[in-house]
Amino acid sequence: MFYGACPGKGERIQVVPVAVLIPLTEEEKRVFTQNCPEGAFDFYDRPITREEIAEYEILCGAGVRNLLQYATKLRFLQLPYAGLDGYADRGMYPRKDIVLAGASGAFGPDISEYMLGAVLALMKNLHLYRDGMTQGVWKRLDAPVDSLDGAVVLSVGVGDIGSHFCKKAKAMGAHVIGVRRREAPKPDFCDEVCTAEHLDGVIGRADVAALSVPGTERTRRLFDRERLGRMKRGAYLVNVGRGTAVDLDALSDALLSGALAGAALDVTDPEPLPPGHPLWKCPNALVTPHISGLNQYRRAHERVVAICAENIRRVCRGEAPLRPASFEEGY
């Protein structure tokens, strides 16, 4: 049962049934229960059943897409990650007044550090020296070395992740250009800002193009063969958003031909990257298995817990969650 105000002292609290499906310590469970006395919490350390899911008004977790048809009382779904992968379709839910939220705001510090580390590793050829180390080779490479100091960095996406990366790149001396979907005032951590429709006008200036966009139809193949061809020769590409934003075949060709100096990918399409794909043999590619924002990072996990607990508290009290998702926009 939802109600529109926080009850006062002495008033009876009408509880809201809540299922939490993410692994938590006993201390983390108390973050939920103490933060929200209106919630009747059940913490699952096993998969929830279709009979059980039908009893809850609030779910916190993922991995339940095939059970949503049975969640007839569900009013709010809190996902434990930034994206909405596979959940941004109202047709999946029995109720049409469903509210959905991700954990945007939890991953920016960690993922932006991955982005910075990956760019610097490529610029300094550290990945190649690591390859040589595994073969017992002591050899200085005759290869260009680049720097972020004075480089033009294009951040395609300036949300939580993108803005943290922009701040780090700017602190290292880069000229930062932010690309966002809608016009908005220029933040201090960007030197320039433009909307996505002007991406082609700035992409040729970028020494680094960093993508942190959600997976929507608007961003699908955002960096296709044509747009990759507009990038500055010798530039670097980093993608931590969704693999669907980049045409991997075109990217492989650009890397192998030397048109691009390097690429770091934490996401691919398809995912996992299939055996035999040319990217596996690109010496100037750094591919990781979607690990830049894993909840195993202690501080990221703590932020996820805090965001989920706060959103559940808000919804139980009839308030909107932080950063509610848009079904129309897909994030």
Side-chain angles (χ1 to χ4, degrees):
M1 177 179 293
F2 285 70
Y3 44 108
C6 178
K9 185 175 182 181
E11 294 184 39
R12 183 178 178 181
I13 295 177
Q14 295 176 300
V15 297
V16 180
V18 182
V20 180
L21 311 179
I22 57 178
L24 299 171
T25 65
E26 292 302 315
E27 182 178 352
E28 289 166 343
K29 291 175 184 178
R30 286 192 289 273
V31 173
F32 284 84
T33 56
Q34 294 176 2
N35 190 53
C36 180
E38 301 89 346
F41 289 91
D42 289 321
F43 299 94
Y44 284 79
D45 57 4
R46 57 167 175 79
I48 193 170
T49 67
R50 69 183 189 182
E51 291 79 17
E52 290 167 335
I53 203 171
E55 298 302 316
Y56 295 100
E57 295 183 28
I58 296 177
L59 288 177
C60 175
V64 294
R65 277 179 292 190
N66 62 330
L67 296 178
L68 288 176
Q69 60 184 308
Y70 306 108
T72 54
K73 297 180 182 178
L74 184 64
R75 293 175 181 268
F76 176 55
L77 174 60
Q78 172 69 57
L79 296 170
Y81 38 71
L84 306 180
D85 301 353
Y87 288 91
D89 178 3
R90 286 193 187 276
M92 300 170 59
Y93 303 90
R95 301 181 63 111
K96 301 311 173 189
D97 59 350
I98 183 74
V99 176
L100 181 64
S104 177
F107 302 101
D110 292 295
I111 295 180
S112 63
E113 287 181 1
Y114 168 97
M115 297 166 75
L116 181 64
V119 169
L120 291 174
L122 291 169
M123 284 185 159
K124 307 303 180 184
N125 298 315
L126 299 186
H127 58 304
L128 300 179
Y129 284 109
R130 176 68 186 187
D131 291 345
M133 176 183 166
T134 61
Q135 300 171 30
V137 174
W138 177 284
K139 181 181 179 180
R140 292 179 179 174
L141 298 175
D142 183 18
V145 176
D146 295 309
S147 174
L148 272 177
D149 188 14
V152 175
V153 170
L154 184 69
S155 180
V156 185
V158 286
D160 174 46
I161 297 168
S163 61
H164 275 86
F165 177 67
C166 288
K167 293 172 186 177
K168 290 176 172 61
K170 187 170 177 61
M172 295 196 68
H175 180 91
V176 177
I177 305 174
V179 180
R180 61 191 345 157
R181 186 179 169 195
R182 299 184 183 89
E183 289 189 6
K186 181 183 74 65
D188 292 341
F189 52 78
C190 289
D191 297 289
E192 304 175 44
V193 171
C194 68
T195 56
E197 63 185 6
H198 297 110
L199 175 58
D200 287 335
V202 294
I203 194 170
R205 297 168 52 197
D207 298 293
V208 177
L211 284 67
S212 58
V213 296
T216 68
E217 282 305 309
R218 289 188 182 89
T219 62
R220 185 171 183 79
R221 297 295 183 269
L222 183 66
F223 275 63
D224 56 12
R225 188 174 297 275
E226 183 178 357
R227 185 157 282 137
L228 288 167
R230 291 194 176 109
M231 291 182 66
K232 178 190 289 189
R233 186 170 184 85
Y236 300 85
L237 182 138
V238 181
N239 187 18
V240 296
R242 288 298 178 264
T244 53
V246 177
D247 182 336
L248 287 193
D249 292 336
L251 177 61
S252 300
D253 292 343
L255 290 170
L256 291 169
S257 70
L260 294 183
L265 306 173
D266 190 46
V267 288
T268 61
D269 181 38
E271 195 171 292
L273 185 65
H277 194 282
L279 268 176
W280 287 119
K281 295 188 176 181
C282 286
N284 48 350
L286 180 60
V287 180
T288 52
H290 207 148
I291 49 81
S292 63
L294 284 181
N295 283 354
Q296 283 92 327
Y297 299 141
R298 178 178 58 83
R299 291 182 180 176
H301 180 70
E302 290 173 353
R303 288 189 289 266
V304 168
V305 169
I307 289 170
C308 291
E310 173 63 15
N311 278 348
I312 290 172
R313 183 192 71 82
R314 285 169 171 257
V315 173
C316 281
R317 298 184 179 188
E319 304 170 9
L322 300 167
R323 305 180 186 90
S326 167
F327 283 91
E328 290 71 31
E329 295 182 351
Y331 63 94

